[in-house]
Each structure stands twice: as structure tokens, then as C-alpha cells.
């Protein structure tokens, strides 16, 4: 995918994931974005080459929740 398309899609994915974090963990919007931006998941999500951005929001939230609980990011092998 070219960089312009990826740059357009990433904020939509991040917004959807932040909303799911708010919904599931009952934190403020600012706190949800702060936690997400400081996660290992965000680091791989913003790298187009990892293809993690292709996962749906529920799957991304599961990865996020596992990372928060265990301190480790465990990506599925496809």
C-alpha cells in the first residue's frame, strides 16, 4: 500500500481501537489514546510492513488487552 493511503487509514484504525479501549476499560478518551500510543501494539501498528493494521478492531483490542495484562505483545502467526 502506498504511504498516502496508509497515512489516511491509520487514524481510522487508531480511532476505532481507542473507542474500543474506552468502551471496554471505562477510561477517558485522553487516557485511552495515551495508553494506546505508549503500547508496543501501537509501535507495530504504525509500521505498514507488519500488516497488523489489517486486523479488525476486536482483534486489535484483544492484542492490546493481552499486552496490558502480560506486558508482552503476542502477534498471531498467519
Amino acid at each position: 500500500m502506498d504511504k498516502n493511503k496508509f497515512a489516511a487509514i491509520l487514524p481510522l484504525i487508531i480511532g476505532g481501537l481507542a473507542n474500543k479501549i474506552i468502551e471496554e476499560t471505562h477510561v477517558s478518551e485522553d487516557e485511552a489514546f495515551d495508553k494506546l500510543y505508549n503500547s508496543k501494539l501501537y509501535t507495530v501498528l504504525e509500521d505498514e510492513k507488519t500488516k497488523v493494521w489489517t486486523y479488525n478492531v476486536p482483534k486489535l483490542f484483544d492484542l492490546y488487552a493481552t499486552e496490558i495484562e502480560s506486558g508482552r505483545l503476542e502477534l498471531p502467526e498467519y
Side-chain angles (χ1 to χ4, degrees):
M1 171 178 291
D2 83 28
K3 290 184 180 191
N4 289 334
K5 288 180 184 176
F6 181 67
I9 262 181
L10 187 60
L12 299 174
I13 297 166
I14 298 300
L17 182 52
N19 283 335
K20 183 74 170 169
I21 292 169
I22 293 165
E23 178 184 305
E24 297 292 330
T25 64
H26 309 289
V27 297
S28 70
E29 183 176 336
D30 287 342
E31 189 174 353
F33 277 105
D34 185 54
K35 288 180 177 222
L36 179 56
Y37 289 147
N38 288 299
S39 70
K40 295 172 190 165
L41 176 61
Y42 182 76
T43 301
V44 296
L45 189 57
E46 69 179 347
D47 181 356
E48 190 269 338
K49 294 175 195 145
T50 66
K51 303 298 183 201
V52 172
W53 59 272
T54 63
Y55 300 165
N56 62 27
V57 169
K59 179 63 179 175
L60 290 170
F61 179 78
D62 287 345
L63 294 172
Y64 169 82
T66 299
E67 178 186 342
I68 296 302
E69 288 176 17
S70 71
R72 295 187 345 230
L73 178 61
E74 297 177 17
L75 297 176
E77 293 182 29
Y78 288 100

